[in-house]
Amino acid sequence: MKPILSIENLHKTLPDEGNSRLFSGITAQIDAPEIIALLGASGQGKSTLLRILAALDIADKGDIRLHGIPLSEWKPTDWRQKVGYVAQHAVMLSGSVEDNLRTVSMLHRTAFDRPLAERLMSSLGLEGAWGKRAGEMSGGEKQRVSLVRSLLMRPDVLLLDEVTASLDAHSKHAVESLLAEWRRQEGATAIMITHDLAQAAQMSDRIWFMSEGTLLEDDKTDSFFRQPKTDAGRRFIQLPATGEQPCQL
């Protein structure tokens, strides 16, 4: 069976006068549905990596394949139907919340799945928001609607850029529960950027840790939090140099 997603030797430079490196040599493979937490300090290029995987940005070098087919051979609309992306700062289209939810089916010329949309909205506490003007919602409401909008495509891979960072505790828990349930029911893969180490430890199956301008560690979640393989990883989760004691999450 071909990998769900494979990333080979991705390089990205910054658009400055010196073309300085953002990251290089990013290589990873996803063989089965799982939730991956993408960790690392600010400035490592985590959001840029997600945008490249979403075909919203272009790598300077490297290859990305979905189900064994190179990104270059996919139609952009087909790729974005298979690879969903939820940005850190949600962008709403004009009109109502319902208009925003229906946009997905309109763009891809598919039937609008009203029962699924109602279930997703209800699970995130948005059952009464259908008729609201999208531009008048709070940041947290926009973030949740944006997630629902992406899930309505039933993507094979879901890319999430700090989607719970602006949410209150109740809404955050609702999103986490929905993503766990979605993974079980749909068999989908998620790659999520988070700065919440407790969230990463509790939700993910695997950790991608970016540091020193590359994907420095790729390991099972339990292994990473118990004993990272690098000094940078230990510093990031504040483990002592020996790596003998796990961080308290």
Side-chain angles (χ1 to χ4, degrees):
M1 183 179 293
K2 291 177 176 147
I4 296 170
L5 185 71
S6 59
I7 305 167
E8 176 107 19
N9 201 31
L10 286 189
H11 292 245
K12 184 65 176 177
T13 55
L14 295 168
D16 55 24
E17 292 183 1
N19 289 324
S20 56
R21 182 188 72 170
L22 179 59
F23 56 70
S24 63
I26 302 287
T27 297
Q29 184 168 296
I30 302 172
D31 294 313
E34 58 186 338
I35 295 179
I36 297 169
L38 180 55
L39 305 181
S42 298
Q44 290 297 319
K46 301 184 299 296
S47 294
T48 300
L49 176 59
L50 282 201
R51 287 182 56 81
I52 290 172
L53 296 179
L56 297 172
D57 203 342
I58 301 173
D60 299 306
K61 179 182 176 183
D63 186 45
I64 304 169
R65 293 173 180 259
L66 181 66
H67 302 305
I69 303 172
L71 171 57
S72 59
E73 295 181 15
W74 286 82
K75 293 180 180 178
T77 52
D78 292 343
W79 182 274
R80 289 172 186 150
Q81 190 171 10
K82 294 289 187 181
V83 181
Y85 171 71
V86 184
Q88 183 177 0
H89 302 290
V91 176
M92 293 289 103
L93 305 174
S94 61
S96 67
V97 168
E98 182 172 354
D99 292 334
N100 273 262
L101 297 180
R102 287 182 176 275
T103 297
V104 171
S105 56
M106 290 174 58
L107 288 175
H108 296 288
R109 299 181 181 179
T110 58
F112 178 58
D113 192 339
R114 178 87 188 201
L116 175 60
E118 289 179 344
R119 178 169 65 85
L120 295 173
M121 291 287 281
S122 178
S123 70
L124 296 182
L126 295 167
E127 57 270 26
W130 286 78
K132 291 180 75 171
R133 305 299 296 178
E136 297 173 359
M137 292 188 300
S138 69
E141 288 174 324
K142 290 177 182 177
Q143 196 67 49
R144 284 176 284 160
V145 169
S146 181
L147 175 60
V148 171
R149 189 171 57 189
S150 188
L151 291 177
L152 286 173
M153 294 188 298
R154 284 193 157 100
D156 294 341
V157 179
L158 187 62
L159 308 172
L160 307 171
D161 193 346
E162 294 198 68
V163 296
T164 63
S166 63
L167 302 183
D168 59 60
H170 178 75
S171 297
K172 176 183 173 183
H173 178 70
V175 168
E176 292 171 345
S177 297
L178 174 60
L179 291 174
E181 179 186 3
W182 187 262
R183 184 268 182 92
R184 289 192 298 269
Q185 293 184 347
E186 298 288 328
T189 284
I191 304 172
M192 54 182 291
I193 296 173
T194 179
H195 288 284
D196 184 335
L197 295 185
Q199 182 182 69
Q202 293 161 11
M203 285 194 64
S204 70
D205 308 291
R206 182 172 168 190
I207 299 295
W208 287 358
F209 172 59
M210 292 183 69
S211 185
E212 301 175 12
T214 193
L215 182 59
L216 198 61
E217 298 201 39
D218 177 357
D219 205 351
K220 294 292 186 182
T221 298
D222 288 346
S223 297
F224 177 80
F225 280 107
R226 185 174 61 250
Q227 189 168 0
K229 295 181 174 64
T230 64
D231 289 340
R234 286 188 285 273
R235 288 193 300 270
F236 184 76
I237 63 171
Q238 299 180 343
L239 273 180
T242 58
E244 293 175 354
Q245 297 296 321
C247 60
Q248 300 299 314
L249 298 175

